[in-house]
Amino acid sequence: MSAVEQFTPTVLTLTDRAVAKVKNLVAEEANDDLKLRVFVTGGGCSGFQYGFTFDELAEEDDTLVERDGVVVLVDPLSYQYIDGAQLDYTEGLEGSRFVVSNPNASTTCGCGSSFSV
């Protein structure tokens, strides 16, 4: 990809709760240019783990997923692991966090933040 391309939401589906939380976080920072970056790194108890950060700018080879004004960025390396997943936001006894439901994961750890393929 030579330029930032926008794909259909099937790359990463965002739940209503995830969209609402990202909107809330962007509003708290008072910076409408913020985009949520979802990425995969090596590590965690199952081999890979999800990471989340905010970026103002998309990289040239990022995939953009947009829903209701929320923009999520996925880098090319992470794309292969996240394709078809769903991003949700949960609040419970274990705390509040973004959760990825990933059909590509063959196993996940008990905390749900790491996986293997």
Side-chain angles (χ1 to χ4, degrees):
M1 291 184 269
S2 61
V4 174
E5 294 184 30
Q6 186 168 345
F7 288 85
T8 61
T10 56
V11 172
L12 181 68
T13 305
L14 308 176
T15 66
D16 292 341
R17 289 184 299 225
V19 168
K21 185 59 179 181
V22 172
K23 283 183 176 181
N24 185 2
L25 292 170
V26 169
E28 284 178 10
E29 293 297 319
N31 183 349
D32 291 338
D33 292 332
L34 291 178
K35 300 156 188 53
L36 180 66
R37 179 172 296 282
V38 179
F39 58 93
V40 173
T41 60
C45 21
S46 295
F48 294 103
Q49 59 188 10
Y50 302 107
F52 307 94
T53 188
F54 279 102
D55 282 340
E56 289 185 359
L57 301 173
E59 297 296 325
E60 187 175 297
D61 53 358
D62 281 341
T63 298
L64 275 69
V65 177
E66 186 171 358
R67 178 172 172 223
D68 299 334
V70 168
V71 177
V72 176
L73 306 173
V74 179
D75 65 84
L77 182 60
S78 299
Y79 178 95
Q80 63 187 322
Y81 299 110
I82 293 176
D83 188 25
Q86 179 185 65
L87 179 65
D88 194 10
Y89 183 78
T90 64
E91 293 180 353
L93 293 175
E94 69 282 348
S96 55
R97 62 191 169 117
F98 286 105
V99 177
V100 178
S101 298
N102 191 341
N104 303 308
S106 60
T107 59
T108 60
C109 68
C111 66
S113 64
S114 70
F115 68 101
S116 64
V117 288

PDB file of all heavy atoms in Angstrom, residues 82-97:
ATOM      1  N   ILE A  82      -5.035  -9.319  13.529  1.00  0.00           N
ATOM      2  CA  ILE A  82      -6.265  -8.672  13.992  1.00  0.00           C
ATOM      3  C   ILE A  82      -7.405  -8.810  12.995  1.00  0.00           C
ATOM      4  O   ILE A  82      -8.563  -8.642  13.342  1.00  0.00           O
ATOM      5  CB  ILE A  82      -5.975  -7.180  14.296  1.00  0.00           C
ATOM      6  CG1 ILE A  82      -5.029  -7.068  15.491  1.00  0.00           C
ATOM      7  CG2 ILE A  82      -7.253  -6.413  14.586  1.00  0.00           C
ATOM      8  CD1 ILE A  82      -4.606  -5.665  15.822  1.00  0.00           C
ATOM      9  N   ASP A  83      -7.108  -9.144  11.758  1.00  0.00           N
ATOM     10  CA  ASP A  83      -8.124  -9.208  10.708  1.00  0.00           C
ATOM     11  C   ASP A  83      -9.310 -10.075  11.129  1.00  0.00           C
ATOM     12  O   ASP A  83      -9.140 -11.238  11.470  1.00  0.00           O
ATOM     13  CB  ASP A  83      -7.503  -9.746   9.418  1.00  0.00           C
ATOM     14  CG  ASP A  83      -8.444  -9.659   8.234  1.00  0.00           C
ATOM     15  OD1 ASP A  83      -9.353  -8.806   8.250  1.00  0.00           O
ATOM     16  OD2 ASP A  83      -8.270 -10.439   7.285  1.00  0.00           O
ATOM     17  N   GLY A  84     -10.503  -9.495  11.129  1.00  0.00           N
ATOM     18  CA  GLY A  84     -11.720 -10.208  11.493  1.00  0.00           C
ATOM     19  C   GLY A  84     -12.072 -10.141  12.966  1.00  0.00           C
ATOM     20  O   GLY A  84     -13.086 -10.694  13.390  1.00  0.00           O
ATOM     21  N   ALA A  85     -11.275  -9.458  13.769  1.00  0.00           N
ATOM     22  CA  ALA A  85     -11.502  -9.387  15.211  1.00  0.00           C
ATOM     23  C   ALA A  85     -12.523  -8.304  15.563  1.00  0.00           C
ATOM     24  O   ALA A  85     -12.891  -7.468  14.735  1.00  0.00           O
ATOM     25  CB  ALA A  85     -10.185  -9.119  15.940  1.00  0.00           C
ATOM     26  N   GLN A  86     -12.958  -8.332  16.813  1.00  0.00           N
ATOM     27  CA  GLN A  86     -13.884  -7.333  17.327  1.00  0.00           C
ATOM     28  C   GLN A  86     -13.249  -6.646  18.531  1.00  0.00           C
ATOM     29  O   GLN A  86     -12.705  -7.300  19.423  1.00  0.00           O
ATOM     30  CB  GLN A  86     -15.198  -7.988  17.751  1.00  0.00           C
ATOM     31  CG  GLN A  86     -16.205  -6.993  18.311  1.00  0.00           C
ATOM     32  CD  GLN A  86     -17.450  -7.686  18.823  1.00  0.00           C
ATOM     33  OE1 GLN A  86     -17.394  -8.453  19.777  1.00  0.00           O
ATOM     34  NE2 GLN A  86     -18.570  -7.418  18.175  1.00  0.00           N
ATOM     35  N   LEU A  87     -13.339  -5.318  18.560  1.00  0.00           N
ATOM     36  CA  LEU A  87     -12.835  -4.530  19.685  1.00  0.00           C
ATOM     37  C   LEU A  87     -14.004  -4.094  20.547  1.00  0.00           C
ATOM     38  O   LEU A  87     -14.952  -3.489  20.052  1.00  0.00           O
ATOM     39  CB  LEU A  87     -12.063  -3.309  19.176  1.00  0.00           C
ATOM     40  CG  LEU A  87     -11.502  -2.387  20.258  1.00  0.00           C
ATOM     41  CD1 LEU A  87     -10.440  -3.113  21.092  1.00  0.00           C
ATOM     42  CD2 LEU A  87     -10.920  -1.127  19.642  1.00  0.00           C
ATOM     43  N   ASP A  88     -13.934  -4.416  21.829  1.00  0.00           N
ATOM     44  CA  ASP A  88     -14.981  -4.058  22.785  1.00  0.00           C
ATOM     45  C   ASP A  88     -14.323  -3.338  23.960  1.00  0.00           C
ATOM     46  O   ASP A  88     -13.093  -3.318  24.087  1.00  0.00           O
ATOM     47  CB  ASP A  88     -15.698  -5.324  23.265  1.00  0.00           C
ATOM     48  CG  ASP A  88     -17.012  -5.033  23.982  1.00  0.00           C
ATOM     49  OD1 ASP A  88     -17.480  -3.871  23.960  1.00  0.00           O
ATOM     50  OD2 ASP A  88     -17.579  -5.970  24.569  1.00  0.00           O
ATOM     51  N   TYR A  89     -15.134  -2.764  24.816  1.00  0.00           N
ATOM     52  CA  TYR A  89     -14.652  -2.142  26.040  1.00  0.00           C
ATOM     53  C   TYR A  89     -15.484  -2.691  27.181  1.00  0.00           C
ATOM     54  O   TYR A  89     -16.716  -2.731  27.102  1.00  0.00           O
ATOM     55  CB  TYR A  89     -14.779  -0.617  25.969  1.00  0.00           C
ATOM     56  CG  TYR A  89     -14.228   0.063  27.188  1.00  0.00           C
ATOM     57  CD1 TYR A  89     -12.856   0.216  27.338  1.00  0.00           C
ATOM     58  CD2 TYR A  89     -15.052   0.510  28.199  1.00  0.00           C
ATOM     59  CE1 TYR A  89     -12.327   0.810  28.477  1.00  0.00           C
ATOM     60  CE2 TYR A  89     -14.544   1.111  29.335  1.00  0.00           C
ATOM     61  CZ  TYR A  89     -13.188   1.258  29.465  1.00  0.00           C
ATOM     62  OH  TYR A  89     -12.663   1.838  30.583  1.00  0.00           O
ATOM     63  N   THR A  90     -14.820  -3.167  28.225  1.00  0.00           N
ATOM     64  CA  THR A  90     -15.538  -3.739  29.358  1.00  0.00           C
ATOM     65  C   THR A  90     -15.136  -3.056  30.656  1.00  0.00           C
ATOM     66  O   THR A  90     -14.015  -2.554  30.792  1.00  0.00           O
ATOM     67  CB  THR A  90     -15.276  -5.253  29.505  1.00  0.00           C
ATOM     68  OG1 THR A  90     -13.890  -5.464  29.786  1.00  0.00           O
ATOM     69  CG2 THR A  90     -15.665  -6.011  28.263  1.00  0.00           C
ATOM     70  N   GLU A  91     -16.080  -3.060  31.588  1.00  0.00           N
ATOM     71  CA  GLU A  91     -15.833  -2.582  32.945  1.00  0.00           C
ATOM     72  C   GLU A  91     -16.375  -3.643  33.886  1.00  0.00           C
ATOM     73  O   GLU A  91     -17.513  -4.074  33.748  1.00  0.00           O
ATOM     74  CB  GLU A  91     -16.538  -1.247  33.188  1.00  0.00           C
ATOM     75  CG  GLU A  91     -15.971  -0.109  32.364  1.00  0.00           C
ATOM     76  CD  GLU A  91     -16.675   1.214  32.610  1.00  0.00           C
ATOM     77  OE1 GLU A  91     -17.702   1.238  33.322  1.00  0.00           O
ATOM     78  OE2 GLU A  91     -16.196   2.218  32.081  1.00  0.00           O
ATOM     79  N   GLY A  92     -15.527  -4.087  34.810  1.00  0.00           N
ATOM     80  CA  GLY A  92     -15.965  -5.126  35.738  1.00  0.00           C
ATOM     81  C   GLY A  92     -15.054  -5.208  36.935  1.00  0.00           C
ATOM     82  O   GLY A  92     -14.252  -4.304  37.193  1.00  0.00           O
ATOM     83  N   LEU A  93     -15.140  -6.297  37.658  1.00  0.00           N
ATOM     84  CA  LEU A  93     -14.334  -6.485  38.859  1.00  0.00           C
ATOM     85  C   LEU A  93     -12.842  -6.489  38.562  1.00  0.00           C
ATOM     86  O   LEU A  93     -12.032  -6.066  39.390  1.00  0.00           O
ATOM     87  CB  LEU A  93     -14.716  -7.805  39.543  1.00  0.00           C
ATOM     88  CG  LEU A  93     -16.126  -7.857  40.133  1.00  0.00           C
ATOM     89  CD1 LEU A  93     -16.413  -9.251  40.675  1.00  0.00           C
ATOM     90  CD2 LEU A  93     -16.281  -6.808  41.220  1.00  0.00           C
ATOM     91  N   GLU A  94     -12.452  -6.977  37.376  1.00  0.00           N
ATOM     92  CA  GLU A  94     -11.040  -7.023  37.006  1.00  0.00           C
ATOM     93  C   GLU A  94     -10.539  -5.687  36.458  1.00  0.00           C
ATOM     94  O   GLU A  94      -9.397  -5.574  36.048  1.00  0.00           O
ATOM     95  CB  GLU A  94     -10.775  -8.145  35.999  1.00  0.00           C
ATOM     96  CG  GLU A  94     -11.353  -7.935  34.608  1.00  0.00           C
ATOM     97  CD  GLU A  94     -12.853  -8.210  34.479  1.00  0.00           C
ATOM     98  OE1 GLU A  94     -13.463  -8.783  35.388  1.00  0.00           O
ATOM     99  OE2 GLU A  94     -13.422  -7.826  33.443  1.00  0.00           O
ATOM    100  N   GLY A  95     -11.403  -4.693  36.450  1.00  0.00           N
ATOM    101  CA  GLY A  95     -11.017  -3.368  35.964  1.00  0.00           C
ATOM    102  C   GLY A  95     -11.699  -3.048  34.647  1.00  0.00           C
ATOM    103  O   GLY A  95     -12.541  -3.798  34.160  1.00  0.00           O
ATOM    104  N   SER A  96     -11.315  -1.933  34.066  1.00  0.00           N
ATOM    105  CA  SER A  96     -11.879  -1.533  32.778  1.00  0.00           C
ATOM    106  C   SER A  96     -10.769  -1.593  31.735  1.00  0.00           C
ATOM    107  O   SER A  96      -9.629  -1.246  32.009  1.00  0.00           O
ATOM    108  CB  SER A  96     -12.461  -0.128  32.862  1.00  0.00           C
ATOM    109  OG  SER A  96     -11.509   0.787  33.317  1.00  0.00           O
ATOM    110  N   ARG A  97     -11.152  -2.085  30.536  1.00  0.00           N
ATOM    111  CA  ARG A  97     -10.134  -2.260  29.505  1.00  0.00           C
ATOM    112  C   ARG A  97     -10.778  -2.535  28.155  1.00  0.00           C
ATOM    113  O   ARG A  97     -11.928  -2.937  28.068  1.00  0.00           O
ATOM    114  CB  ARG A  97      -9.202  -3.407  29.863  1.00  0.00           C
ATOM    115  CG  ARG A  97      -9.921  -4.741  29.964  1.00  0.00           C
ATOM    116  CD  ARG A  97      -9.041  -5.809  30.579  1.00  0.00           C
ATOM    117  NE  ARG A  97      -9.846  -6.976  30.892  1.00  0.00           N
ATOM    118  CZ  ARG A  97      -9.673  -8.158  30.354  1.00  0.00           C
ATOM    119  NH1 ARG A  97      -8.712  -8.373  29.493  1.00  0.00           N
ATOM    120  NH2 ARG A  97     -10.445  -9.163  30.692  1.00  0.00           N
TER     121      ARG A  97
END
